[in-house]
Amino acid sequence: LEPNQVRIENVSRGSIYHAGASTITTSSDQDKTDMEISPQAMSAMRNHALEMMKQQMANMPPEQRQKIEQMMAKNGMGPEAAKPTVVTFRKTAAGQKVGQWRCDQYEEQQDGKKVADLCIARLSDVGLKEEDLHAFKGLSHVIAGFGARASQVAAAQLDLDTMKQQIGYAGLPVHTVEYSTGQQHEMTMQTIQRVSLPPATFKVPDGYTKQEMPMH
């Protein structure tokens, strides 16, 4: 993480975002490929998938069609998906301890439904300033534009400005339990270090093959 760029990695994939950009670049170390993802392309893919689904549902019995519509709505794929998500944070406990950090426990709700439990530490307590997270905040807006319910959950936890407005201080989750699509995901921040990062950290490695994001 740098103020104007961020890279997030898991075992085999990386995502790079530069502040002010409208796309996220993902890369696969296994396939040696990279791809730019944008909210516009994600919307086009989602609309195409919905249209295909509607055509298939037209030939289904009413009972089966209703079940699929309910499943789509539950996963944020129905007509309601276009509406802005209302995110709220409700304090449930104070003075918790995660690793070396003190944090307060919050329940995150989206449109009145619980989606996560967060233990949020003050930025100053983890050794960060708000300007350190400039690119991090921009990343949240791009992810929110993807539209899918799982994306909204992730975007809300990166949207530190909205979080600050609601909880009353600049904070960062140091422990997160997400509840989405019937699954539970737990994340714990272990360390924060200040190091000098080489420019190559925020670039796709040489020799990778660029793939175009399918529009349909």
Side-chain angles (χ1 to χ4, degrees):
L1 173 68
E2 290 184 348
N4 290 310
Q5 47 196 2
V6 56
R7 179 185 180 94
I8 300 175
E9 294 183 357
N10 61 21
V11 175
S12 62
R13 299 193 67 85
S15 298
I16 300 171
Y17 174 76
H18 299 280
S22 59
T23 61
I24 299 171
T25 301
T26 65
S27 60
S28 168
D29 295 334
Q30 182 176 357
D31 300 332
K32 305 296 183 186
T33 59
D34 66 283
M35 179 185 297
E36 285 192 356
I37 303 176
S38 70
Q40 294 78 11
M42 292 292 287
S43 178
M45 288 180 60
R46 186 169 58 254
N47 290 341
H48 178 75
L50 287 173
E51 187 58 35
M52 295 293 292
M53 183 67 73
K54 288 179 181 178
Q55 293 177 15
Q56 295 176 14
M57 290 168 58
N59 299 320
M60 294 179 181
E63 183 177 342
Q64 185 179 2
R65 185 165 60 245
Q66 184 179 19
K67 288 182 179 180
I68 293 180
E69 288 174 345
Q70 291 173 347
M71 180 194 69
M72 291 170 64
K74 182 179 179 181
N75 289 281
M77 296 176 63
E80 298 295 313
K83 295 184 178 180
T85 301
V86 177
V87 180
T88 55
F89 297 91
R90 184 177 68 87
K91 191 172 183 177
T92 56
Q96 309 294 101
K97 197 77 184 293
V98 173
Q100 58 186 299
W101 298 297
R102 179 194 176 281
C103 55
D104 294 332
Q105 193 76 20
Y106 286 84
E107 177 182 285
E108 179 193 343
Q109 294 190 354
Q110 295 188 11
D111 295 331
K113 178 182 177 181
K114 179 178 177 178
V115 296
D117 287 310
L118 312 172
C119 208
I120 304 175
R122 293 179 180 270
L123 276 188
S124 56
D125 289 347
V126 301
L128 294 175
K129 300 178 181 179
E130 289 193 67
E131 50 264 35
D132 293 327
L133 302 173
H134 177 63
F136 207 59
K137 294 176 182 180
L139 176 63
S140 76
H141 296 297
V142 177
I143 293 177
F146 291 170
R149 178 62 61 188
S151 297
Q152 299 296 326
V153 174
Q157 288 155 29
L158 295 175
D159 187 357
L160 302 181
D161 287 333
T162 297
M163 186 182 292
K164 176 184 176 181
Q165 291 172 4
Q166 293 206 23
I167 69 177
Y169 60 87
L172 188 69
V174 293
H175 182 256
T176 301
V177 181
E178 291 181 356
Y179 312 100
S180 62
T181 61
Q183 296 183 336
Q184 179 174 314
H185 303 277
E186 185 173 359
M187 296 173 287
T188 304
M189 184 177 294
Q190 296 180 336
T191 61
I192 293 179
Q193 299 176 321
R194 288 192 177 273
V195 298
S196 296
L197 297 171
T201 302
F202 304 99
K203 297 179 180 177
V204 175
D206 292 337
Y208 278 42
T209 302
K210 181 173 288 295
Q211 294 184 327
E212 296 297 327
M213 187 172 180
M215 298 299 292
H216 58 273

